[in-house]
């Protein structure tokens, strides 16, 4: 069983920065950050495989960076140049290394004021 605990959300002004963290218990392979904004369809923001291959969605390229610390079993999302449209609940999602199931964090609110 994998459990994910997120932290780092909050309220920030446009142009500001935040770093989200997602600590996993249990063995995981790929991880990604997913967001659900008010009145918008959810989307994968960024993903990173167990070997470190990264993908970022077009709306956040050049502003958001995903990284992982395998020793700490933690994935990070460094967000810079935040915009009001980045306002959303951000979830981390991980695939269990042995179970191959998806696991989700509890979500953390990011609010960007204009």
């Amino acid at each position: 069983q994998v459990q994910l605990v997120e932290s780092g959300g909050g309220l920030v002004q446009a142009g500001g920065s935040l770093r989200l963290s997602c600590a996993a218990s249990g063995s995981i392979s790929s991880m990604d950050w997913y967001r659900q904004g008010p009145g918008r369809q959810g989307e994968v923001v960024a993903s990173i495989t167990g070997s470190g291959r990264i993908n970022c969605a077009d709306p956040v390229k050049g502003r958001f960076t995903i990284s992982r610390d395998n020793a700490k079993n933690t994935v990070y999302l460094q967000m810079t140049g935040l915009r009001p449209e980045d306002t959303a609940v951000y979830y981390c999602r991980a695939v269990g290394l042995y179970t191959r199931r998806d696991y989700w964090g509890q979500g953390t609110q990011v609010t960007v004021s204009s």
Side-chain angles (χ1 to χ4, degrees):
Q1 186 74 9
V2 173
Q3 291 185 324
L4 305 174
V5 178
E6 302 167 20
S7 60
L11 173 64
V12 65
Q13 289 187 331
S17 300
L18 285 173
R19 189 177 81 154
L20 306 183
S21 300
C22 177
S25 63
S27 299
I28 56 173
S29 58
S30 62
M31 298 183 78
D32 50 48
W33 287 96
Y34 176 95
R35 69 183 179 186
Q36 179 71 60
R40 298 198 300 274
Q41 191 171 2
E43 60 180 343
V44 175
V45 173
S47 59
I48 186 166
T49 67
S51 59
R53 181 176 296 180
I54 289 170
N55 276 303
C56 282
D58 286 342
V60 306
K61 277 182 180 176
R63 300 189 297 121
F64 290 11
T65 303
I66 189 171
S67 62
R68 67 190 290 167
D69 183 334
N70 289 328
K72 295 182 179 179
N73 225 19
T74 298
V75 67
Y76 304 96
L77 185 68
Q78 179 67 51
M79 305 184 291
T80 62
L82 283 161
R83 304 168 181 169
E85 56 263 38
D86 295 319
T87 295
V89 179
Y90 285 71
Y91 299 88
C92 66
R93 180 176 63 185
V95 177
L97 181 63
Y98 303 111
T99 65
R100 311 309 298 172
R101 288 175 52 195
D102 282 356
Y103 299 90
W104 291 82
Q106 80 279 12
T108 186
Q109 177 70 47
V110 171
T111 303
V112 185
S113 62
S114 57

